[in-house]
Amino acid sequence: MRLVPRLGSGVPLVARTAEMRRLRAAVLRAERGEPGAILISGDAGVGKTRVLSELGEYAGSRGALVLTGRCLDVREGGLPYLPFAEAFTPLVGSAETEFADAIASRPALGRLLPQLGTPPASLEHNIAASSDRDALRGVRAAHDLAQLQLFDAVLGLLTQLAENRAVLLVLEDMHWSDDSTRNLLSFLVSRLRTQRLLILASYREEDLYRRHPLRGFLAELVRVSTVERVEIPPLQEADARTFVQALAEESLPEDVIAEVVERSQGNPFFVEELLASRAEGSDLPAGLAEVLLSRLERLSTDTQRVLRVISCADGSVAHKVLTEVAGLDEVELDEALREAVQHHALVIEHGFYTFRHALLQEAVYGDLLPGERSRIHHAYAVRLLNEPEGRGRDALLAYHSLESNDLATGLAASMRAADEAEKRGAPASALRHIEQALRIWDAVPDADRPAGVDELKLLREARYFAGAAGEPERAIAYARSAVEALEDSTPIERACETWQLLAQALMVLDSTWDEAVEAIGKAWELAEGLEPSRTRAHVLATRAAIMRGKDQPAEALWSARAAVADARAVGAEGAEANALITLGALTEAEGDVSRGREMLRDAQRLARHAGSLNTELRALYFVALSYDDQADLPRALVEYQAGIDYAAEMGLTWSSFGIELRARHLFLRYVSGDWPSDDATTRPRRGVSGAAAGRLSSSWAHIVADRGELDEAERLVAELRSVREADVLIMLAVAAVGTQSAFWRGDYQLAIARTREGIAWLEGYEFAMLAGLRLAALGLGAAVALAAQARLRNETQLLAEAVAAGNEFLEHGRRCLREGQPRGVSIGPEGLAWSARLEAAASGLTGAAEPKLWAEAVRAFGYGAVFEQAVCRWHHAEALLSTGRTEDAEPAAEELRQAHEIAQRLGAKPLVDATSALARRARIDVPGEPPRRSEVDPLTSRERDVLERVALGRTNRQVGEELYISEKTVSVHLSRVMAKLGASRRAEAVAIAYDRGLLTPPNGAPPG
């Protein structure tokens, strides 16, 4: 068998916090003379060796001696004392006389370490060769005595080695140990008294079948008071994801991470192998398959047959099913299953048999011969055909029929399974079944196809299920294929519906919006001459939504009203509800918010009555958006949550509006200061497209950046860049979060570059122009900080570039306000707040900022934007302190305290650091920081004048010219300043003065 590379050896240990805490505590007890033994269990590959290595490094760093030995699998029983011999061998040739003397003084160790000299004659051989009973008893007595001498020698050696240091004796893979090794371990454990000794023995839990010799041994061993057990379980999902990301050499797509986590089931070794196999494109790594299958080679023929049969099942298998499919009688089947369970190949869950690990099932299934596989699947299918219909029956029938090449049965079962999945709110499963049907459609003769179904119907259903399952790109692909499948003989109403469904699919992505306009235009061209009908009403309702999105309110209004009229004429409630949503949004935009919300509620009720799930979800989203636009954040959050709950109930969590509801809800939690602890709600299931997942990640990224998790923020920004074209809000998040991340790092030039890039991206998206205001304000803040930095360093060119960039962003922000179209009659509270922040930041571009403008920004964000208001309070405090007026000191302190308190509550580390730094410089006490002691200013006014100018980057000559003193006098003042502050250089004196609050940098200077 080829050796499987251990890829993760250089990766930091993930999770295992609780286990390592217990193990380290045991090391500390051993150091105090409290010996112990720990039995470490866990599956193969779960990380026992890695944990022991980490513990060995920890103990070694504290001066402990770590001795490690391993047992080997030699099938017929382990080699006697092998792990002890391996552990002690390095001591034999050691340069340390202490080790050599300890071994040399114990000749009995020669039986363990042959390199010490010729070991005693084999007593086992003497016992076997002797025929005299008395002589045999004597030989056995001598053997027992020799063994006791060896045991005493090992104990004495360990005790002596542990006199001046802690000793860790690590025995790995004890499931392969022999009787002698187990007896010696038992002897040592029973004689632990006051030695500085810790014994650690690891073993694989799944290898301990019922009659395994180690099983009873462990049961006896744990009765000793000094023995404890530590189990190393598989990684939890979050930890497994962290491990995958740490192990990968590159950023992995979300679906790849999810797949590896799911297939590995938290086993680190399996994670490593699955990642390594990605480059090879293999389904299951050959080396891993060999490792897994080797465990089954020792089982009986019947047991291996049963395992092959179960591997073909799509999930767990009942005993009754196996009696019909396995081809064994009851007794044979019972014995085979008993052996499989005892050897931990199978587990019993709720009365059903299933593989202990999914990858073991994959390995067994992959090892089947083609004919063998087909016969087993056929046996399952025949059995299912004779079963009455029930939950999941058609999905299983489709699977087994297709795998046994019964395509006609598989086609019909796939379509029935899709219907069942839809009713149960599982669109991803329904999509999988419909795609199965599409794959084999051409291979099934016309006479064997289900009645009333054609390929066009399947393509339209695939479009719907793909959209509902969070795969908008695939939905578009299926909708395009449906249009391409239209023929001249296709009825006009069916052609209208097909074009309209393509337009609906294209509306989901901003990058395909223009194509949506063309598609609905084609649909309307076909439907315009028709009499009122459901099809015509749906086309008009979709056209109204698209025209509204294209900022053509007159066309949208006409189409929506026409859709309502047609829908009412023919009783098409779903189409009427869809049109009413657009009418409600248009009514709100005209200023009648109350009437608009009433129409949206009517649409919601109509959609529910009609069973139009996506339309009802759209209505719920627009109701929440109505409160969002008016900055009624508490009510908006409630309404978004109602939509989220409904989407989950209906299985539409990953539909376009299901995603948008969650994305807006998460963003409002960010705005309102209710930051979730992790991104569990944003993680997509397998199969969700990058665009769909990116929309949620774009909201989460704001929290990540402002928490100060800047490496993670940069990873998210890089990941989102690849899907930014799909949605303008993703595009805006990439630019805004990237700018903010660079700002918090102090890389203001990068922040400016990212702002410029984002503004360029947003050009051409007229409906998103107002969104550029936020980006302009963030970029302007970076330009102000860069300008302050340039003034401190006296870098004229850099200062000019910073000011130019700031003015550029100021003008762009103002243009966004002039030309951007709000959803309502006027710009809402959020837009006004960012406008106030833009103007406040601009006031500090060429010098001290205007406190009144920052006070206005603080007030403007008072609608509930907790974090942004705290940021503005920080800048307001800076502006107040820069005035130097006594009356501004207390208001500045109050603003700073409030900003710091909010930042601490949110866990916004960069803002905490910024407010703390400002507080130190201004000698202000803030919550959570130790109160500052009042300090007598050691500097004279003249010395402070000199140091302030030095801080601005002036030379001694320039300082002298500004203060009308000689260059020599400046040098004298600087020497005194450095002596008073304990500095050896000018720059160090400036830094110390800032830290002690003896100097206050100009407004806009970088924090800290």
Side-chain angles (χ1 to χ4, degrees), residues 166-203:
V167 174
L168 269 66
L169 176 62
V170 181
L171 308 174
E172 295 197 56
D173 297 327
M174 285 294 293
H175 49 279
W176 288 327
S177 63
D178 65 296
D179 285 342
S180 300
T181 298
R182 291 192 293 271
N183 290 338
L184 178 50
L185 173 60
S186 179
F187 178 85
L188 294 175
V189 168
S190 66
R191 282 156 176 77
L192 293 176
R193 298 293 183 267
T194 60
Q195 303 97 328
R196 294 187 177 91
L197 177 62
L198 177 62
I199 301 174
L200 302 118
S202 70
Y203 61 94

Side-chain angles (χ1 to χ4, degrees), residues 29 288 612 618 922 953:
R29 289 197 299 273
L288 178 54
S612 298
R618 182 178 177 232

Side-chain angles (χ1 to χ4, degrees), residues 199-253:
I199 301 174
L200 302 118
S202 70
Y203 61 94
R204 294 180 189 171
E205 183 68 44
E206 78 268 32
D207 277 6
L208 301 191
Y209 52 88
R210 181 170 297 175
R211 292 184 297 277
H212 194 289
L214 187 65
R215 194 181 187 96
F217 172 77
L218 294 175
E220 292 296 324
L221 206 60
V222 294
R223 295 181 181 181
V224 181
S225 60
T226 54
V227 177
E228 61 178 307
R229 288 194 180 196
V230 172
E231 180 185 2
I232 309 297
L235 297 173
Q236 295 295 317
E237 181 182 352
D239 295 327
R241 293 173 62 85
T242 301
F243 184 65
V244 171
Q245 291 166 340
L247 197 62
E249 296 180 354
E250 58 190 23
S251 179
L252 295 177

